[in-house]
Amino acid sequence: MHPSQLITTDADLGACMQSLGQVVGIDTEFIRVRTFYPIPALYQLAGEAGVALVDAQAGATFDSLKALLLDPSRTKVIHGCSEDLEVMATHLDVQPANLVDTQLAHAFLAPEFSASYAKLVERYLGLKLGKHETRSDWLQRPLSKKQISYAREDVAYLRSIWERQSEGLASTGRLDWFLEDMQRMLDTPVATPDTWFETMKGAWRLGCRERIVLRNLVRWREQEARRRDIPRAHTVKDEHLVALARCERLDLGDVARLLPRRTAKRYGKVLAAVHGRGLADEEPAPEATRPLGRRDGDVVRALREAGRRESDRLGLAPELLARKRDLEAGLRYFRSHGELPLPYRRGWRRRVVGDIFTEILA
């Protein structure tokens, strides 16, 4: 593997896949500034034969790379995998099998939840990485020497980090804990317009019909952003959709009054039409997630304190047991179903905090 040469053909990519071995470090470089979808620029692969840089903009099928990612017998090691997974899903239409995330693994070995790659390199390997550019044009060709060096370094140590982490997880009896959370992360459903709107500021204050209208507006925005491949906020912003949903009727005058002039000019007619469809929509109104009251806030604080105590006792990152949004969702679930939600009712969390949390909630 030439250190500065990008792989651009299926033939070279296939040969590379054969030389990587059973444990492969993976990273991606991409650009997403004014687009809805990430634009893939580079795949970095680290294996037994060294580091390979794959040009994601090449006119290749990438079939051998897809086969590697989907092969359950080969371990794929990534650090902070969420954006990398999105790139692979968008560009290659795959979700890697047998994937491990060094950032998540570290949270089971130390009280740090979002440790950087550089920090893990220093922690596990005793090496200090130099500072890199925070922004770079990864779509330019040829890549600069600095870009090549950074791209290689960003993946070169993943296999060694995971080797030490897996030993630590096994010796502490937490390997199954980590693998359980790794699978839960991969199984988490992708957010949809029907769930995003619940988090919009002020949406919970809307009445049933207004929430139905807002759901229609959010669905339209999602389609428009995807069609034009632009960020959602570059169509109509959240606060403007909520303001439109509050209108009993919507005409072009209302749109001009509530929206920025350019937005109203471009989308006024279609927004009025979508608003009208929402008024006639017979699909049941989506649930509104109200903020917790003071008494429930006290319960969440008690859960967090208990979770932090257990995290401190075990030397885990407290976010694994005491993240506020998880506990708030757990409280709501307990109020509705009379039991803990699945993450706390099964698996390692049940053994560690299940009884403690149930006593607090009951």
Side-chain angles (χ1 to χ4, degrees):
M1 302 180 191
H2 192 280
S4 62
Q5 185 175 352
L6 301 188
I7 293 176
T8 60
T9 68
D10 283 318
D12 289 342
L13 186 58
C16 169
M17 296 303 103
Q18 297 300 317
S19 69
L20 292 172
Q22 291 302 110
V23 180
V24 183
I26 300 177
D27 190 31
T28 66
E29 302 297 345
F30 61 93
I31 299 291
R32 178 161 60 185
V33 179
R34 299 181 181 278
T35 62
F36 183 91
Y37 300 103
I39 304 172
L42 202 66
Y43 293 102
Q44 300 110 285
L45 308 170
E48 292 177 356
V51 174
L53 305 180
V54 180
D55 189 351
Q57 290 292 302
T61 66
F62 301 98
D63 285 346
S64 58
L65 176 57
K66 296 177 189 177
L68 164 71
L69 295 172
L70 293 171
D71 186 347
S73 71
R74 302 173 78 176
T75 302
K76 275 69 70 174
V77 187
I78 301 181
H79 179 83
C81 68
S82 59
E83 291 184 324
D84 301 296
L85 291 178
E86 186 177 2
V87 171
M88 294 174 197
T90 301
H91 183 222
L92 304 176
D93 194 26
V94 300
Q95 182 185 79
N98 193 5
L99 174 72
V100 294
D101 186 325
T102 55
Q103 191 174 65
L104 179 61
H106 182 66
F108 284 90
L109 296 169
E112 300 170 306
F113 188 67
S114 298
S116 68
Y117 172 70
K119 190 164 190 175
L120 296 194
V121 171
E122 183 174 3
R123 166 74 179 264
Y124 293 99
L125 307 178
L127 302 174
K128 285 194 175 183
L129 302 184
K131 292 185 178 181
H132 298 288
E133 306 172 50
T134 55
R135 296 188 176 214
S136 187
D137 181 6
W138 290 104
L139 297 176
Q140 73 174 12
R141 297 292 182 268
L143 295 174
S144 69
K145 290 182 179 180
K146 285 186 177 180
Q147 286 177 307
I148 293 290
S149 175
Y150 169 77
R152 293 176 59 79
E153 191 173 69
D154 220 25
V155 71
Y157 303 108
L158 285 173
R159 297 167 74 245
S160 297
I161 291 171
W162 170 242
E163 181 180 2
R164 286 157 179 76
Q165 286 181 330
S166 61
E167 291 171 355
L169 291 168
S171 66
T172 57
R174 296 175 190 172
L175 181 58
D176 288 344
W177 296 12
F178 163 69
L179 294 176
E180 177 186 322
D181 271 31
M182 193 71 236
Q183 191 58 51
R184 187 161 71 98
M185 177 193 294
L186 295 173
D187 290 343
T188 299
V190 176
T192 69
D194 289 357
T195 55
W196 284 321
F197 92 93
E198 295 179 10
T199 65
M200 289 182 174
K201 186 176 181 180
W204 67 273
R205 298 180 184 274
L206 300 178
C208 290
R209 178 51 56 186
E210 292 169 333
R211 296 202 303 274
I212 293 173
V213 171
L214 180 59
R215 180 176 59 198
N216 277 263
L217 291 168
V218 172
R219 287 174 176 174
W220 164 82
R221 183 181 66 177
E222 186 70 10
Q223 294 171 353
E224 178 69 6
R226 289 172 181 267
R227 182 184 69 80
R228 294 181 58 202
D229 192 18
I230 59 175
R232 295 179 185 91
H234 288 198
T235 56
V236 185
K237 294 182 179 180
D238 284 1
E239 59 265 31
H240 295 144
L241 292 182
V242 173
L244 295 176
R246 288 197 175 101
C247 297
E248 292 185 9
R249 293 287 184 273
L250 189 67
D251 58 30
L252 294 182
D254 297 319
V255 174
R257 176 173 54 84
L258 295 170
L259 269 57
R261 183 169 57 183
R262 181 178 296 181
T263 305
K265 182 177 180 181
R266 180 170 195 130
Y267 294 120
K269 290 182 180 179
V270 67
L271 286 170
V274 173
H275 188 280
R277 291 199 297 270
L279 292 175
D281 188 351
E282 296 183 358
E283 188 177 348
E287 293 294 326
T289 303
R290 299 175 62 87
L292 295 175
R294 181 179 298 177
R295 293 184 64 185
D296 283 340
D298 291 339
V299 175
V300 171
R301 277 190 288 277
L303 292 170
R304 293 189 75 187
E305 289 171 4
R308 286 180 178 276
R309 282 196 300 271
E310 293 305 303
S311 299
D312 291 343
R313 180 178 67 82
L314 296 168
L316 300 172
E319 290 85 352
L320 293 174
L321 291 173
R323 189 156 47 182
K324 183 178 179 181
R325 70 169 179 264
D326 294 339
L327 298 178
E328 287 179 346
L331 172 59
R332 290 188 175 98
Y333 187 93
F334 190 89
R335 292 281 189 264
S336 299
H337 300 84
E339 61 182 357
L340 294 172
L342 278 178
Y344 294 96
R345 198 167 73 242
R346 297 179 184 173
W348 72 271
R349 284 181 179 80
R350 180 191 63 79
R351 298 192 295 274
V352 173
V353 295
D355 291 342
I356 299 171
F357 281 7
T358 298
E359 183 178 352
I360 292 172
L361 290 167

